[in-house]
């Protein structure tokens, strides 16, 4: 399987605390954490984002996306390309603040806004659907000692399947693991992963991301989103 991890890689370069947690970047931590003999994993940062050509995306099975303060620097053209690739069958996983990324908003078609508080709340990520492939190997919940609180209302379309609800010490609840089908492709949004906490070293979080990669693997890919005019009918029309 060909997997690509996009991370804007900004906080790691500009904030000491984040650099200390993720010396190889968030993308590096996720790459190491989900490594598997079956996976060929490439990483892309904002600096190298021009790599995301149609050809590259057509050859990628699942793309993982982490972005936060640099959403605006991702061109509309690249966002369109990514959304098209999903509609053609590529799987995609949006992590944490990628809820405001251009490709996610394009695929959802809604504002994707939420409420938030950066106060190091304890979070419990409750499994709402134990039979779902993404929840396999996870107990009743995942406990994170500290995470940025995200809260409802979350401006997304009703998920096709909900796998996790996060509950925060300060009282908020949040739809933390949401599945969608878009065209031929599968989309998973997963809330954990604020950059100042070592979330992407947590065994269960990595397990969920790995499960999601396998779940989002394309089953069928089309190479065209056109609507062809089929002039010649199979039978004579009487
Ligand atoms: Zn955050």
């Amino acid at each position: 399987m060909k997997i690509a991890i996009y991370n804007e890689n900004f906080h790691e370069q500009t904030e000491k605390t984040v650099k200390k947690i993720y010396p190889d970047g968030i993308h590096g931590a996720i790459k190491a954490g989900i490594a598997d003999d079956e996976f060929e994993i490439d990483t892309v940062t904002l600096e190298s984002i021009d790599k995301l050509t149609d050809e590259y995306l057509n050859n990628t099975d699942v793309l993982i996306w982490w972005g936060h303060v640099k959403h605006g620097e991702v061109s509309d053209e690249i966002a369109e390309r990514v959304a098209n690739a999903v509609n053609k069958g590529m799987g995609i996983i949006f992590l944490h603040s990628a809820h405001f990324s251009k490709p996610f908003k394009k695929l959802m078609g809604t504002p994707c806004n939420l409420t938030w508080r950066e106060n190091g709340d304890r979070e419990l990520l409750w499994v709402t659907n134990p039979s779902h492939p993404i929840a396999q190997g996870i107990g009743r919940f995942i406990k994170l000692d500290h995470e940025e609180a995200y809260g409802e209302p979350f401006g997304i379309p009703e998920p096709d399947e909900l796998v996790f609800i996060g509950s925060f010490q300060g009282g908020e609840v949040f739809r933390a693991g949401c599945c969608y089908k878009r065209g031929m492709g599968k989309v998973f949004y997963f809330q954990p992963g604020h950059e100042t906490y070592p979330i992407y070293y947590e065994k269960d979080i990595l397990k969920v991301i790995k499960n999601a990669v396998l779940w989002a693997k394309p089953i069928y890919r089309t190479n065209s989103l056109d609507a062809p005019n089929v002039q010649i009918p199979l039978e004579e029309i009487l």
Side-chain angles (χ1 to χ4, degrees), residues 11 66-68 96-97 99 116 118 147-148 150 191 193-197:
H11 297 293
W66 196 100
H68 182 210
H96 189 59
S97 40
H99 71 93
W116 60 280
E118 201 181 326
E147 174 57 306
E148 178 183 19
Y150 274 12
Q191 162 262 314
H194 186 64
E195 67 275 2
T196 58
Y197 308 113

Side-chain angles (χ1 to χ4, degrees), residues 68-232:
H68 182 210
V69 289
K70 296 286 179 184
H71 298 315
E73 290 183 33
V74 174
S75 71
D76 292 344
E77 194 189 337
I78 286 176
E80 178 95 28
R81 250 183 245 157
V82 170
N84 282 344
V86 173
N87 279 306
K88 289 179 182 172
M90 183 183 76
I92 195 160
I93 298 164
F94 292 98
L95 297 172
H96 189 59
S97 40
H99 71 93
F100 256 173
S101 66
K102 285 185 182 178
F104 186 67
K105 289 173 106 175
K106 196 170 256 304
L107 286 162
M108 296 299 111
T110 53
C112 303
N113 54 316
L114 46 79
T115 60
W116 60 280
R117 174 182 60 252
E118 201 181 326
N119 209 14
D121 286 48
R122 184 270 298 135
E123 180 182 10
L124 297 178
L125 276 156
W126 290 93
V127 174
T128 59
N129 186 349
S131 68
H132 197 281
I134 295 177
Q136 296 317 295
I138 306 298
R140 291 177 69 211
F141 61 85
I142 300 170
K143 183 183 174 198
L144 298 173
D145 290 335
H146 300 288
E147 174 57 306
E148 178 183 19
Y150 274 12
E152 298 284 346
F154 185 16
I156 47 170
E158 202 63 46
D160 297 338
E161 296 174 304
L162 185 66
V163 189
F164 294 98
I165 288 180
S167 78
F168 294 87
Q169 205 160 17
E172 284 79 7
V173 293
F174 187 72
R175 287 170 290 173
C178 305
C179 299
Y180 297 92
K181 186 89 193 290
R182 286 294 182 267
M184 303 294 146
K186 288 184 186 144
V187 180
F188 183 58
Y189 171 78
F190 192 42
Q191 162 262 314
H194 186 64
E195 67 275 2
T196 58
Y197 308 113
I199 305 280
Y200 297 122
Y201 296 107
E202 295 278 345
K203 189 171 64 64
D204 278 353
I205 297 297
L206 293 165
K207 175 97 186 142
V208 169
I209 295 172
K210 197 163 177 176
N211 285 348
V213 164
L214 295 169
W215 168 83
K217 181 183 174 176
I219 291 169
Y220 170 83
R221 301 187 83 152
T222 178
N223 51 25
S224 171
L225 296 174
D226 289 340
N229 183 349
V230 280
Q231 291 287 8
I232 305 165

Side-chain angles (χ1 to χ4, degrees), residues 230-238:
V230 280
Q231 291 287 8
I232 305 165
L234 289 182
E235 292 178 16
E236 189 186 351
I237 310 291
L238 301 172

